[in-house]
Amino acid sequence: MSKHFVWTKKDLLGLEYLSREEIEFILYTAASFKEVTTRQIKKVPALRGKTVVNLFYEPSTRTRTSFELAAKRLSADVINIAVEASSVKKGETLIDTGRNIEALKIDIIVVRHGSSGAPNILAHHVNSSVVNAGDGWHEHPTQALLDMFTLKEKLGRIEGLNVSIIGDIAHSRVARSNIWGLTKLGAKVTVCAPPLLIPEGIEKMGVRVTNDLDTALKGADAINVLRMQFERDAALAFPSKLEYFKQYGITAERLKKCKKEIVVMHPGPINRGIEISSEVADGQNSVILEQVTNGIAVRMAALYLVAHARPTGTRGGEKPL
Amino acid sequence: MTGYLIKNGRVVDPANRIDEVLDILISDGKIEKVGKSLSNGGCKAIDASGKIVGPGLVDMHTHLREPGREDKETVASGTRAAVKGGFTSVACMPNTEPEALDNEGIIKRLSGIIKKDALANVFVVGAITMGRAGKKLADFKALKKAGAIGISDDGSSVDDEKLMSEALALAKKEGLLVIGHCEDRSISDSGVINYGLISTKMGLRGIPVEAEYKRVERDIELARKAKAAIHIAHVSCKESVDIIRKARKAGVEVSAETAPHYFSLTEDCCVTYDTNLKMNPPLRTKEDAEAIKKALKDGTIDAIATDHAPHTDSEKDVEFDFAPFGILGLETALGLAVTELVEKKVLSWSELFMRMSASPARLLGIDRGDLKNGKAADIVIIDPGKEYTYTKDSIASRSKNSPFIGWKLKGKVSHVFVAGKLIDEVLADR
Ligand SMILES: [Zn+2]
């Protein structure tokens, strides 16, 4: 990947909208920022004088903290705004909020929203950069980027890898972003879930679909285990946590039948004993904590690139009608 | 003599099997004569050479929003939009807010507004059930007496089969057209776009085609049993088309309409999350759009109706999940039909006037869509080759929620006569 690649997008809305080269360039940029995070003084002046606003319509301490740290390590000023879910429909509209935030002369809005496409709509109405920190079931691009970054670090490449994503595919933005990113970079992706948690037409996104965990594990170089949200949509499709663990839980016994070096990822927070056993989560193959560490470097790269988009920054997710 | 002589236009009048260059003499609000080289007898002459002259368009499915939501649209603004789009008659749907058109009082009140403000003919569709709640039938006799020409719970379907059967039988007795909004809410649930690859990619809840066609199937079956007629509103998918085609062959008295967006757009357009692409039923696949075109050609779908559904910017400028369903239609229907159907040789001009004027008039039971001597002089003159760009500034409707802003369309309206009166609104930006 060339140092001379020119980043043109003002927004990071999803990996669907990025080319292979753009994804590789973010990973390349993230690698140099990771080096920064290992220094004694973990700070560079790359975004000095810039302001990043974390606009969160859903509570997520993990993602918000990661973005906040990333921005601070780039010397940006950070403001956190949490909008309560209950006021989304009644209060100020998303677009009004965005424009008001922009009037504060900020540079980047990092947005987390429960409604798919909210970052796309916001990006369309503000000139500031918009970085998607997860929207509905749509995309969570920085999560997928950090997953890929971790994979590449562990296995040296993405191209040609067999990666299985296991869990509630239907309601997962992490799954969608990973599918876009991994397939663009040449990995072979399998999605595995109970039938009702496989969304319509997903195979047309270039993935293999299975309902059988052993099929998904066989030959896999890496697995990405999704969080099962029984308190939300997943419950309708698969009512029993215990039964889910029996059929789809990643356990040490199951791992024994896999490739020895299989990389086990999880976007967190993990539900021990539901989608993954503690033994595996804390075991040798698990890279869960490394993912968290890498998240900062990847988010530094994302913030840095959108802030320096050239010439003026083209909108990230728009396509002509 | 007060009147006009429209000279040398290509008169397309499918109701009378006419498609040739003729003159039309209008006087006292009526068609006086259609023929070759008529003398103007003192009337003002309008040169229509190179233009298409047809019966004014009839929209079976308009939401005028008045009374109650005058912030979205009024009778005045809606009929202005209608006339600009070449429509001389519209049928307005009963889902007004907060009060539906479910009783004599509100329809009379609306009729007063229409009399005062309307630039085009407005025909009223009353509700099937009180408050469109699907629980208790409205008083059809009273609705009819107040002037309603049809009934519908548009926006909702009557879930209760017994109630719907009763409605079909009673409406038949009153001579009211029953217009079915076919949607099984237990299937469409909280979906916002078509269920399929696109909803999966976008992470949005999908509305399966089953939600529509299963209800189309049910309504047709109920009509068959009741030996009554049913009109299916806004057909969007191939399956519904097939069901309607089959039922008609079997002798069921079923008619259908579609809207221009179902043959001009597909679900793929939604990927921008533009809420002006959110409508119910949702945009479907390319295959569905092709089936709709075929059905318009072979007559399985009788009419192109707009489903003109104005919403304010503040309602539409929100997250896709939260935006209301519906888009404007009156000012783009003709342009889209000409551009997508006539120019692409799907329909002839005669077929276009059949689907947009003669058939909807016949279905509604209104004496329009026909240029015979003595009929009301509702006439549209169209410049067929003239390309224009549909701009936000040009919109006469009070709302601006159209996905077609910026589109280049063909078939510009140049003159509109309503009951022999030339409406200046159209002339303004001709
Ligand atoms: Zn409807």
Side-chain angles (χ1 to χ4, degrees), chain B residues 2-37:
Chain B
T2 60
Y4 294 92
L5 178 67
I6 304 169
K7 281 191 75 69
N8 294 320
R10 175 178 161 193
V11 175
V12 183
D13 176 20
N16 298 296
R17 296 171 182 273
I18 291 172
D19 184 352
E20 61 177 307
V21 175
L22 292 168
D23 298 346
I24 300 180
L25 186 65
I26 306 170
S27 80
D28 297 328
K30 299 230 175 338
I31 310 255
E32 175 86 19
K33 205 169 183 187
V34 182
K36 279 202 162 54
S37 311

Side-chain angles (χ1 to χ4, degrees), chain B residues 61 63 93 95 152-156 179-183 233-234 257 262 280-281 307:
Chain B
H61 199 132
H63 298 274
M93 284 292 149
N95 61 334
S152 177
D153 267 3
D154 189 43
S156 307
I179 302 171
H181 166 111
C182 293
E183 177 186 5
H234 39 59
E257 72 188 34
Y262 300 121
N280 188 18
D307 199 2

Side-chain angles (χ1 to χ4, degrees), chain B residues 253-273:
Chain B
E253 217 182 316
V254 53
S255 57
E257 72 188 34
T258 190
H261 36 274
Y262 300 121
F263 59 74
S264 310
L265 299 170
T266 57
E267 57 172 357
D268 312 66
C269 303
C270 297
V271 297
T272 56
Y273 294 92

Side-chain angles (χ1 to χ4, degrees), chain A residues 120-137:
Chain A
N120 300 59
I121 292 171
L122 182 64
H124 188 77
H125 286 89
V126 297
N127 295 314
S128 317
S129 290
V130 173
V131 174
N132 182 2
D135 63 324
W137 309 336

Side-chain angles (χ1 to χ4, degrees), chain A residues 298-313:
Chain A
V298 162
R299 288 177 176 122
M300 286 170 81
L303 294 172
Y304 174 79
L305 290 174
V306 296
H308 292 91
R310 275 181 287 165
T312 48

